[in-house]
Amino acid sequence: MENVVTRFSPSPTGTLHIGGARTALFNWLFARHNNGKFILRIEDTDVVRSAEEYTQVIIESLQWLGMDWDEGPYFQSKRLDIYRKYISILLEKGRAYYCDCSPEEVERKRKEAMAAGKKPKYDGRCRTRNLGPGQGRVVRFRAPDFGTTLVQDVIKGSISFDNSELDDLVIQRSDGMPTYNFAVVVDDLTMGITHVIRGDDHVNNTPRQILIYEALGATPPVFAHVPMILGQDRTRLSKRHGATSVLAYRDAGYLPEAMVNYLVRLGWSYGDQEIFSKEELIEKFTLENIGKSASIFDPEKLLWLNSYYIKESDPDKLADLLLPFLERKKYPISDRNYLERAIITLQPRAKTLTEMADMMDFYLLENIEYDSKAARKFLKPTMIPVFEDLIEKLRALDEFTEEKLEKVFRNTSAELNVKLGKIAQPVRVALTGRTASPGLFEIIDILGKDKTIRRLERALEFMRNRKEKQAP
Ligand code: GLU
């Protein structure tokens, strides 16, 4: 497709959540797939609810997910002159008018209409009054009284709206600010947006926007309204279903690749393929493959994708991502190479970076803490001779390769007539503090001779103390 221009136009009234991030992703992918342009526009005309810090959070979230924009961020609050110009055009054409009905009056009439079983819409009192600008006056769009407006949606097909159902919408508030439906049209028009891809909660706004395009003598863009995201209980996704803000997932140790891969499958599919690299998504993304039904947010699947991307990631890159998590735990890190080797052993086990940081403790802390149940069960006085023998043999070992380590353990097992399986778990507890960890020889190889022997000696002391206490 030629000259595609899409946009993501969040209102900075909250953090970027799962739904918004998916909208951004679809727009970004569609632009990239078509070698087009992706614009970021901040819709901040609601001065009361908009906050600068939310704009920052939205930008940080997009950057974290790796979505870059070619233009913007534009701010609607800085484009007021442009909206005013288009208001004058509509006023001149007779397609808009000033209205001085007070909000209370409008509300009263709405209620009356409803009570009479009629559609609660503005009664058009000021349509023919030819009012000019003035204190407390809004500008309304003059909607047609008859006919229908057809929304031809790429995803939903054609939807027809009766014009008589549509209100004479306020397009400029009494404080001079444009309203959403008007500003969005002026922006999409002046920014040359060719495709509007957004959540289907906006579908009822679309006929109103199409009428404004028509009144301005402009052709509307292509619309694609994406079905909602629901929680597992099939109600609209909200905080009740867990974290919904994108940065909360970053802070919980999710990788951006996992998040992007997860988000795209909320509504878009390519056969039954689940794993997509970003390059592959750019190559394959089309609007035709967006489904018609709502998608269900599944945290388990996101976790599965995250563990997949942790396994597949380059340890060097993971080390960079893991560092802030380790710093938060105040774990000392002096040797980058040591860290990366440790990471490799945890990649198959950790589902998030938070989990990985938790599992890192025995690699990074000098004095590990024993899990009390594990210590009670495995660091028993009967193991004292085994540990003594292991320490002696390991001291004499010049090279700590897996092969040589295995030989040491086998020899101790044979000489003291204790099964290898009975030795492994106590040693694991001595080295890591717990009963589950990466392979024993892998760990010993990474910890190295000094640390390994120090920890075995410490466990030995623990067992000797225990023996003394047991003695009658
Ligand atoms: N600011 C609107 C929102 O956040 C954008 C709607 C649109 O894409 O037109 O919902």
Side-chain angles (χ1 to χ4, degrees):
M1 220 174 283
E2 298 243 322
N3 303 328
V4 163
V5 184
T6 64
R7 44 64 163 190
F8 177 51
S9 53
S11 311
T13 53
T15 59
L16 184 66
H17 51 80
I18 300 279
R22 181 193 60 171
T23 300
L25 181 63
F26 284 7
N27 279 287
W28 182 80
L29 284 173
F30 188 67
R32 293 291 169 260
H33 175 84
N34 291 293
N35 285 318
K37 244 189 330 190
F38 174 63
I39 295 178
L40 176 60
R41 180 171 83 217
I42 305 295
E43 304 205 325
D44 58 348
T45 52
D46 184 342
V47 272
V48 179
R49 291 172 61 225
S50 298
E52 162 68 23
E53 65 197 77
Y54 290 132
T55 299
Q56 286 317 317
V57 170
I58 292 167
I59 286 178
E60 205 180 323
S61 308
L62 293 175
Q63 284 168 337
W64 179 64
L65 292 169
M67 291 182 228
D68 52 344
W69 48 94
D70 307 292
E71 277 181 32
Y74 291 110
F75 291 85
Q76 285 190 328
S77 59
K78 300 206 177 106
R79 294 169 53 81
L80 299 181
D81 286 349
I82 302 174
Y83 307 126
R84 271 182 209 131
K85 186 179 123 200
Y86 280 85
I87 289 281
S88 333
I89 295 175
L90 287 180
L91 286 167
E92 256 163 51
K93 286 185 166 200
R95 296 303 308 268
Y97 57 92
Y98 277 97
C99 165
D100 66 356
C101 297
S102 69
E104 296 75 29
E105 211 175 324
V106 172
E107 188 49 37
R108 185 177 50 75
K109 284 185 184 163
R110 263 182 220 282
K111 282 197 180 131
E112 276 171 15
M114 266 204 285
K118 286 198 231 145
K119 176 106 187 157
K121 57 179 220 174
Y122 178 65
D123 67 354
R125 183 178 88 99
C126 296
R127 271 184 177 186
T128 50
R129 291 178 63 214
N130 278 322
L131 295 173
Q135 182 92 36
R137 291 183 183 174
V138 301
V139 177
R140 287 185 184 270
F141 178 69
R142 196 185 191 302
D145 296 316
F146 312 102
T148 53
T149 299
L150 201 63
V151 176
Q152 277 166 314
D153 190 273
V154 182
I155 300 166
K156 298 189 174 290
S158 291
I159 315 169
S160 169
F161 291 83
D162 261 334
N163 290 341
S164 61
E165 299 275 300
L166 304 172
D167 223 336
D168 274 3
L169 187 74
V170 172
I171 53 178
Q172 180 176 287
R173 296 190 192 100
S174 56
D175 63 1
M177 284 300 220
T179 56
Y180 160 71
N181 277 303
F182 177 69
V184 100
V185 168
V186 173
D187 285 342
D188 288 343
L189 187 62
T190 52
M191 292 175 188
I193 304 297
T194 58
H195 292 74
V196 166
I197 307 165
R198 64 185 169 201
D200 68 2
D201 47 337
H202 282 292
V203 87
N204 289 332
N205 287 322
T206 309
R208 303 171 207 279
Q209 294 173 13
I210 290 177
L211 288 173
I212 299 175
Y213 279 102
E214 283 170 359
L216 288 169
T219 315
V222 174
F223 290 102
H225 287 94
V226 186
M228 290 279 93
I229 303 172
L230 307 176
Q232 306 235 315
D233 56 0
R234 302 200 72 89
T235 63
R236 207 186 146 147
L237 190 66
S238 72
K239 285 211 180 79
R240 284 185 296 118
H241 301 103
T244 53
S245 106
V246 166
L247 291 187
Y249 285 94
R250 178 195 64 183
D251 298 343
Y254 285 77
L255 303 191
E257 293 88 334
M259 200 68 196
V260 164
N261 196 149
Y262 181 72
L263 288 172
V264 81
R265 290 282 294 103
L266 286 171
W268 180 85
S269 60
Y270 193 82
D272 46 22
Q273 188 173 338
E274 286 294 354
I275 307 277
F276 299 88
S277 69
K278 204 169 258 181
E279 294 67 36
E280 214 178 349
L281 285 178
I282 291 174
E283 186 200 314
K284 296 191 161 145
F285 189 84
T286 58
L287 298 179
E288 286 68 37
N289 280 9
I290 297 177
K292 283 191 195 316
S293 45
S295 20
I296 311 280
F297 181 70
D298 177 2
E300 281 303 315
K301 186 173 164 192
L302 173 56
L303 194 61
W304 171 75
L305 279 167
N306 203 50
S307 62
Y308 171 84
Y309 281 100
I310 284 187
K311 275 191 203 91
E312 295 296 308
S313 286
D314 178 26
D316 174 47
K317 195 190 105 177
L318 274 184
D320 287 340
L321 294 175
L322 190 65
L323 279 175
F325 290 84
L326 297 173
E327 276 158 17
R328 230 173 287 158
K329 292 173 90 70
K330 303 211 166 28
Y331 286 174
I333 306 131
S334 48
D335 183 344
R336 173 83 183 201
N337 182 42
Y338 176 84
L339 180 66
E340 285 180 25
R341 289 174 66 215
I343 285 176
I344 293 170
T345 70
L346 297 176
Q347 277 178 278
R349 315 186 138 253
K351 293 199 218 48
T352 63
L353 294 171
T354 313
E355 265 185 31
M356 189 178 270
D358 287 343
M359 291 175 180
M360 270 286 166
D361 58 351
F362 71 88
Y363 281 124
L364 299 176
L365 296 176
E366 190 53 44
N367 285 321
I368 52 158
E369 236 175 81
Y370 298 141
D371 170 72
S372 57
K373 232 166 96 186
R376 211 175 316 125
K377 183 158 175 210
F378 293 107
L379 298 182
K380 285 192 182 138
T382 47
M383 292 307 292
I384 292 173
V386 175
F387 272 59
E388 283 171 344
D389 192 65
L390 275 177
I391 291 170
E392 197 187 311
K393 286 192 167 62
L394 288 173
R395 257 207 197 109
L397 202 62
D398 48 0
E399 244 188 336
F400 261 42
T401 60
E402 266 193 44
E403 209 181 309
K404 292 202 170 173
L405 289 167
E406 198 180 327
K407 215 170 181 178
V408 165
F409 275 72
R410 284 199 184 286
N411 286 344
T412 301
S413 155
E415 283 164 28
L416 300 182
N417 199 18
V418 183
K419 278 199 194 112
L420 204 55
K422 294 258 179 236
I423 301 178
Q425 217 47 346
V427 172
R428 191 187 304 279
V429 176
L431 298 180
T432 69
R434 48 177 112 89
T435 50
S437 77
L440 203 51
F441 301 137
E442 266 180 290
I443 296 176
I444 297 178
D445 179 28
I446 291 170
L447 288 175
K449 190 168 180 170
D450 290 349
K451 263 195 202 138
T452 303
I453 292 177
R454 261 203 309 278
R455 289 188 190 184
L456 292 177
E457 280 174 338
R458 196 171 146 237
L460 197 55
E461 206 179 294
F462 178 89
M463 293 185 280
R464 285 184 182 137
N465 282 340
R466 204 170 153 184
K467 192 176 172 189
E468 264 171 40
K469 277 189 204 133
Q470 276 174 9

